[in-house]
Amino acid sequence: MSTHLTAGQRALLEAALQQRQQQLDRQLAEHLGGQSRVEHTRELVQQDVREVAQREEEREIDMAISDLETRELGVVSAALRRLKSGDYGRCTDCDGEIPFDRLKAEPWALRCVACESARERDPRQGL
Ligand SMILES: [Zn+2]
């Protein structure tokens, strides 16, 4: 059980995570929804080549953003699960406590500052 956080602090972090989760949900729906396949095909027929290329590019950007959002949503959901299971607020690398100030800025943080910057220095550890 992670006990270095008070009930009030946990409630605050949980609210922040839920808010982020809802925000991501909305953004994802926007980026994934948008245009139906039929509309897309009709546009391909109507538009000139340059416009089509631009459209395709926009769609690719949308897809890339959706990917990022999906990943972040996973991270946020995982943090909410940890909050419920009691593993929340502990560094996954050194098992140290992650200070509330860090969690306040980044409620989904998995690592303490020391471990996080160690990973950033050595990207091979990142996977
Ligand atoms: Zn650590």
Side-chain angles (χ1 to χ4, degrees):
M1 282 281 168
S2 71
T3 49
H4 71 294
L5 298 169
T6 67
Q9 285 172 334
R10 290 167 66 91
L12 194 128
L13 293 166
E14 187 173 11
L17 283 166
Q18 280 167 348
Q19 199 183 3
R20 186 72 186 131
Q21 195 179 35
Q22 281 163 15
Q23 196 181 6
L24 284 167
D25 260 346
R26 264 203 310 276
Q27 285 175 2
L28 250 184
E30 235 168 72
H31 287 130
L32 289 178
Q35 199 182 29
S36 74
R37 191 162 289 278
V38 178
E39 278 175 273
H40 180 57
T41 311
R42 196 173 53 212
E43 273 184 24
L44 285 181
V45 175
Q46 287 170 350
Q47 285 169 345
D48 71 42
V49 179
R50 235 184 49 174
E51 274 177 65
V52 170
Q54 197 185 349
R55 259 274 168 220
E56 284 300 301
E57 210 170 294
E58 278 168 20
R59 280 174 69 83
E60 264 165 43
I61 292 169
D62 264 5
M63 294 305 285
I65 293 173
S66 306
D67 266 5
L68 279 177
E69 284 165 352
T70 306
R71 214 169 309 160
E72 197 181 340
L73 199 56
V75 171
V76 170
S77 309
L80 279 166
R81 274 200 303 276
R82 289 200 306 278
L83 204 55
K84 286 201 171 65
S85 68
D87 303 332
Y88 185 78
R90 285 205 173 267
C91 175
T92 53
D93 283 9
C94 71
D95 206 34
E97 291 172 354
I98 306 175
F100 176 63
D101 276 349
R102 170 159 169 71
L103 291 169
K104 207 165 61 176
E106 228 177 291
W108 44 85
L110 280 172
R111 287 171 200 89
C112 68
V113 177
C115 291
E116 192 66 59
S117 49
R119 284 169 77 97
E120 275 162 21
R121 272 199 304 276
D122 185 0
R124 280 167 305 169
Q125 283 184 21
L127 308 167

